[in-house]
Amino acid sequence: MAAPLIVVNCKTYGSASGDALDRLLASIEGVDTDGVRLVFVVSAFDLHASRSMHPQFEFWSQHLDPVGQGSHTGWLEPETAMQRGARGTLVNHAEHKVDIAHVEDLLSMLAGRIDVCACAADEAEARRLAALAPTMIAVEPPELIGGDISVTTADPGIVRGTVDLVKSIDNGIMVLCGAGVKNGDDVAAALRLGAEGVLLASGVTKATDPAEVLTDLIDGARRG
Ligand code: G3P
Protein backbone atom coordinates (compact mmCIF):
# COMPACT_ATOMS: atom_id res chain seq x y z
CA MET A 1 0.00 0.00 0.00
CA ALA A 2 1.28 3.50 -0.86
CA ALA A 3 2.48 5.71 1.98
CA PRO A 4 -0.17 8.19 3.17
CA LEU A 5 0.20 11.61 1.63
CA ILE A 6 0.54 14.85 3.53
CA VAL A 7 0.32 17.62 0.96
CA VAL A 8 1.05 21.12 2.23
CA ASN A 9 -0.24 23.86 -0.04
CA CYS A 10 1.79 27.01 0.56
CA LYS A 11 -0.74 29.12 -1.43
CA THR A 12 0.48 32.75 -1.38
CA TYR A 13 0.97 32.87 2.38
CA GLY A 14 3.81 35.28 3.17
CA SER A 15 5.01 32.78 5.76
CA ALA A 16 5.43 30.13 3.04
CA SER A 17 6.68 32.12 0.07
CA GLY A 18 10.07 33.43 -0.98
CA ASP A 19 12.67 33.79 1.78
CA ALA A 20 10.14 32.79 4.44
CA LEU A 21 9.55 29.50 2.62
CA ASP A 22 13.29 28.82 2.68
CA ARG A 23 13.26 29.37 6.44
CA LEU A 24 10.17 27.20 6.89
CA LEU A 25 11.72 24.33 4.92
CA ALA A 26 15.02 24.67 6.78
CA SER A 27 13.14 24.50 10.08
CA ILE A 28 11.61 21.12 9.23
CA GLU A 29 14.68 19.44 7.79
CA GLY A 30 15.07 17.34 10.95
CA VAL A 31 11.49 16.03 10.99
CA ASP A 32 11.30 12.25 10.59
CA THR A 33 9.10 11.62 7.55
CA ASP A 34 9.47 7.84 7.45
CA GLY A 35 6.29 6.11 6.37
CA VAL A 36 4.65 9.16 4.78
CA ARG A 37 4.94 11.01 1.51
CA LEU A 38 5.34 14.68 2.35
CA VAL A 39 4.76 17.17 -0.46
CA PHE A 40 5.02 20.96 -0.57
CA VAL A 41 2.92 22.71 -3.19
CA VAL A 42 4.72 25.94 -3.92
CA SER A 43 4.26 28.93 -6.19
CA ALA A 44 5.94 28.94 -9.59
CA PHE A 45 8.32 31.60 -8.25
CA ASP A 46 9.54 29.27 -5.49
CA LEU A 47 9.74 25.96 -7.32
CA HIS A 48 13.31 26.03 -8.57
CA ALA A 49 14.92 27.58 -5.48
CA SER A 50 13.03 25.27 -3.11
CA ARG A 51 14.01 22.21 -5.11
CA SER A 52 17.66 23.29 -5.28
CA MET A 53 17.98 24.26 -1.63
CA HIS A 54 15.90 21.43 -0.15
CA PRO A 55 16.30 18.46 -2.49
CA GLN A 56 15.12 16.02 0.17
CA PHE A 57 11.54 17.29 -0.18
CA GLU A 58 9.02 16.71 -2.96
CA PHE A 59 7.58 19.79 -4.62
CA TRP A 60 4.51 20.33 -6.75
CA SER A 61 3.27 23.34 -8.68
CA GLN A 62 0.10 25.04 -7.41
CA HIS A 63 -1.37 25.19 -10.90
CA LEU A 64 -0.37 24.46 -14.49
CA ASP A 65 -1.86 25.54 -17.78
CA PRO A 66 -2.21 23.20 -20.76
CA VAL A 67 0.05 25.27 -23.01
CA GLY A 68 3.24 24.42 -24.83
CA GLN A 69 6.46 26.38 -24.93
CA GLY A 70 6.14 29.43 -27.14
CA SER A 71 3.78 32.37 -27.28
CA HIS A 72 1.96 32.09 -23.94
CA THR A 73 2.95 35.10 -21.86
CA GLY A 74 2.29 34.67 -18.17
CA TRP A 75 0.87 31.13 -18.38
CA LEU A 76 2.30 28.31 -16.28
CA GLU A 77 3.82 26.01 -18.85
CA PRO A 78 4.32 22.37 -17.77
CA GLU A 79 7.61 21.43 -19.50
CA THR A 80 9.56 24.12 -17.65
CA ALA A 81 7.81 23.27 -14.38
CA MET A 82 8.94 19.66 -14.75
CA GLN A 83 12.46 20.74 -15.72
CA ARG A 84 12.53 22.88 -12.56
CA GLY A 85 11.64 19.93 -10.37
CA ALA A 86 7.84 19.76 -10.12
CA ARG A 87 6.82 16.18 -9.49
CA GLY A 88 3.15 17.00 -9.45
CA THR A 89 0.57 19.74 -9.65
CA LEU A 90 -2.73 20.78 -8.19
CA VAL A 91 -5.38 21.80 -10.65
CA ASN A 92 -8.87 23.25 -10.21
CA HIS A 93 -8.19 24.30 -6.61
CA ALA A 94 -11.14 26.12 -5.03
CA GLU A 95 -9.07 29.32 -5.27
CA HIS A 96 -8.12 28.73 -8.92
CA LYS A 97 -11.04 27.08 -10.69
CA VAL A 98 -10.73 25.97 -14.31
CA ASP A 99 -13.11 24.34 -16.74
CA ILE A 100 -13.11 20.61 -17.28
CA ALA A 101 -11.40 20.96 -20.69
CA HIS A 102 -8.41 22.56 -18.93
CA VAL A 103 -8.01 19.48 -16.72
CA GLU A 104 -8.50 17.13 -19.66
CA ASP A 105 -5.96 18.94 -21.84
CA LEU A 106 -3.43 19.15 -19.02
CA LEU A 107 -3.70 15.41 -18.31
CA SER A 108 -3.26 14.66 -21.97
CA MET A 109 -0.24 16.96 -22.26
CA LEU A 110 1.45 15.55 -19.13
CA ALA A 111 0.73 11.95 -20.13
CA GLY A 112 1.44 10.60 -16.65
CA ARG A 113 4.91 12.15 -16.35
CA ILE A 114 4.01 13.86 -13.07
CA ASP A 115 1.13 13.47 -10.62
CA VAL A 116 -1.99 15.54 -11.09
CA CYS A 117 -4.20 16.18 -8.08
CA ALA A 118 -7.53 17.57 -9.25
CA CYS A 119 -9.53 19.35 -6.56
CA ALA A 120 -13.27 18.92 -6.15
CA ALA A 121 -15.73 20.90 -4.05
CA ASP A 122 -18.18 18.03 -3.77
CA GLU A 123 -19.07 14.56 -5.01
CA ALA A 124 -20.65 15.83 -8.22
CA GLU A 125 -17.44 17.56 -9.23
CA ALA A 126 -15.38 14.57 -8.11
CA ARG A 127 -17.48 12.39 -10.45
CA ARG A 128 -16.74 14.62 -13.45
CA LEU A 129 -13.04 14.71 -12.64
CA ALA A 130 -12.77 10.97 -11.99
CA ALA A 131 -13.91 10.32 -15.55
CA LEU A 132 -10.65 11.96 -16.69
CA ALA A 133 -8.48 9.66 -14.54
CA PRO A 134 -6.20 12.14 -12.76
CA THR A 135 -3.64 10.64 -10.37
CA MET A 136 -5.57 11.94 -7.38
CA ILE A 137 -8.72 13.78 -6.46
CA ALA A 138 -8.77 16.00 -3.36
CA VAL A 139 -12.21 16.79 -1.99
CA GLU A 140 -12.34 20.14 -0.19
CA PRO A 141 -15.65 21.80 0.75
CA PRO A 142 -14.88 25.48 0.02
CA GLU A 143 -16.74 26.76 3.08
CA LEU A 144 -14.39 24.84 5.39
CA ILE A 145 -11.15 26.01 3.75
CA GLY A 146 -9.03 28.12 6.09
CA GLY A 147 -11.30 27.34 9.05
CA ASP A 148 -10.60 25.62 12.34
CA ILE A 149 -12.87 22.60 11.90
CA SER A 150 -11.52 19.75 9.83
CA VAL A 151 -13.62 18.35 7.01
CA THR A 152 -13.21 14.99 8.75
CA THR A 153 -15.18 16.36 11.73
CA ALA A 154 -17.53 18.80 9.99
CA ASP A 155 -18.49 16.54 7.10
CA PRO A 156 -17.07 13.01 7.33
CA GLY A 157 -19.78 11.88 4.92
CA ILE A 158 -18.30 13.85 2.04
CA VAL A 159 -14.94 12.16 2.57
CA ARG A 160 -16.35 8.64 2.75
CA GLY A 161 -18.79 9.39 -0.09
CA THR A 162 -16.09 10.75 -2.38
CA VAL A 163 -13.80 7.81 -1.69
CA ASP A 164 -16.58 5.31 -2.50
CA LEU A 165 -17.66 7.23 -5.59
CA VAL A 166 -14.21 7.75 -7.07
CA LYS A 167 -13.11 4.17 -6.40
CA SER A 168 -16.30 2.90 -8.05
CA ILE A 169 -15.39 4.86 -11.19
CA ASP A 170 -11.64 4.16 -11.20
CA ASN A 171 -10.01 2.23 -8.39
CA GLY A 172 -6.59 3.54 -9.42
CA ILE A 173 -7.36 7.17 -8.52
CA MET A 174 -6.13 8.17 -5.06
CA VAL A 175 -8.44 10.27 -2.92
CA LEU A 176 -7.30 13.00 -0.54
CA CYS A 177 -9.39 15.28 1.63
CA GLY A 178 -8.75 18.78 2.84
CA ALA A 179 -10.11 21.94 4.48
CA GLY A 180 -9.50 22.72 8.12
CA VAL A 181 -7.06 19.83 8.64
CA LYS A 182 -4.85 20.92 11.52
CA ASN A 183 -3.42 17.99 13.47
CA GLY A 184 -2.58 14.33 13.65
CA ASP A 185 -6.05 13.33 14.82
CA ASP A 186 -7.52 14.93 11.67
CA VAL A 187 -5.08 12.96 9.50
CA ALA A 188 -5.83 9.70 11.30
CA ALA A 189 -9.56 10.37 10.87
CA ALA A 190 -9.09 11.04 7.14
CA LEU A 191 -7.32 7.70 6.69
CA ARG A 192 -10.00 5.87 8.68
CA LEU A 193 -12.60 7.39 6.35
CA GLY A 194 -10.78 5.82 3.42
CA ALA A 195 -8.78 8.80 2.16
CA GLU A 196 -5.18 8.14 1.19
CA GLY A 197 -3.93 11.42 2.52
CA VAL A 198 -4.70 15.05 3.28
CA LEU A 199 -4.28 18.40 1.58
CA LEU A 200 -3.80 21.28 4.00
CA ALA A 201 -2.44 24.80 4.17
CA SER A 202 -3.05 27.10 7.17
CA GLY A 203 -2.35 24.38 9.76
CA VAL A 204 1.28 24.51 8.66
CA THR A 205 1.69 27.93 7.03
CA LYS A 206 0.27 29.79 10.04
CA ALA A 207 1.92 27.62 12.68
CA THR A 208 4.34 29.17 15.14
CA ASP A 209 6.28 25.92 15.06
CA PRO A 210 5.75 24.15 11.68
CA ALA A 211 8.16 21.34 12.67
CA GLU A 212 6.01 20.49 15.69
CA VAL A 213 2.83 20.55 13.61
CA LEU A 214 4.34 18.36 10.89
CA THR A 215 5.60 15.88 13.45
CA ASP A 216 2.06 15.59 14.82
CA LEU A 217 0.52 15.29 11.32
CA ILE A 218 2.99 12.53 10.44
CA ASP A 219 2.28 10.75 13.72
CA GLY A 220 -1.43 10.86 12.85
CA ALA A 221 -0.72 9.34 9.44
CA ARG A 222 1.21 6.50 11.09
CA ARG A 223 -1.64 5.89 13.56
CA GLY A 224 -4.32 6.03 10.86
O1 G3P B 1 -5.25 23.34 -0.52
C1 G3P B 1 -5.52 23.15 0.82
C2 G3P B 1 -6.52 24.11 1.31
O2 G3P B 1 -7.44 24.57 0.42
C3 G3P B 1 -7.05 23.84 2.65
O3 G3P B 1 -6.67 24.96 3.36
O4 G3P B 1 -6.09 26.22 5.32
O5 G3P B 1 -8.11 24.78 5.32
O6 G3P B 1 -5.86 23.74 5.37
P1 G3P B 1 -6.68 24.92 4.92
Side-chain angles (χ1 to χ4, degrees):
M1 204 172 114
L5 270 151
I6 296 178
V7 181
V8 179
N9 183 1
C10 297
K11 303 194 176 183
T12 57
Y13 281 106
S15 55
S17 302
D19 295 341
L21 176 61
D22 295 338
R23 290 193 292 276
L24 189 158
L25 294 170
S27 79
I28 59 154
E29 270 175 6
V31 172
D32 175 8
T33 60
D34 273 3
V36 302
R37 179 177 167 194
L38 177 63
V39 175
F40 289 92
V41 190
V42 299
S43 86
F45 297 119
D46 286 321
L47 183 58
H48 181 57
S50 301
R51 177 77 187 129
S52 303
M53 293 169 70
H54 306 279
Q56 69 273 45
F57 296 127
E58 177 175 342
F59 296 98
W60 292 359
S61 179
Q62 291 181 8
H63 171 90
L64 288 176
D65 293 304
V67 298
Q69 295 182 318
S71 305
H72 303 288
T73 306
W75 293 72
L76 296 184
E77 174 272 304
E79 293 299 326
T80 307
M82 288 188 282
Q83 193 186 103
R84 291 306 200 185
R87 288 179 51 198
T89 187
L90 295 182
V91 69
N92 196 45
H93 189 276
E95 294 151 9
H96 199 150
K97 298 298 283 183
V98 296
D99 59 33
I100 199 88
H102 181 119
V103 182
E104 189 168 17
D105 292 348
L106 183 64
L107 285 164
S108 152
M109 182 171 276
L110 291 171
R113 287 177 291 166
I114 59 172
D115 288 345
V116 175
C117 178
C119 300
D122 52 29
E123 290 175 50
E125 192 170 28
R127 178 190 297 279
R128 290 193 292 278
L129 292 166
L132 306 178
T135 325
M136 302 164 201
I137 289 179
V139 61
E140 294 197 313
E143 67 279 9
L144 297 175
I145 290 177
D148 287 328
I149 303 174
S150 169
V151 61
T152 54
T153 303
D155 194 355
I158 198 173
V159 180
R160 175 70 72 192
T162 304
V163 170
D164 291 347
L165 172 72
V166 169
K167 298 294 181 183
S168 75
I169 296 168
D170 183 340
N171 196 38
I173 301 174
M174 297 173 74
V175 179
L176 312 183
C177 66
V181 171
K182 291 284 186 290
N183 57 44
D185 288 344
D186 298 336
V187 179
L191 299 182
R192 281 198 301 274
L193 289 164
E196 286 147 298
V198 294
L199 174 60
L200 79 159
S202 51
V204 173
T205 61
K206 290 184 170 180
T208 349
D209 186 345
E212 187 178 49
V213 171
L214 275 166
T215 302
D216 182 43
L217 293 166
I218 292 167
D219 182 57
R222 291 178 182 141
R223 278 187 278 124

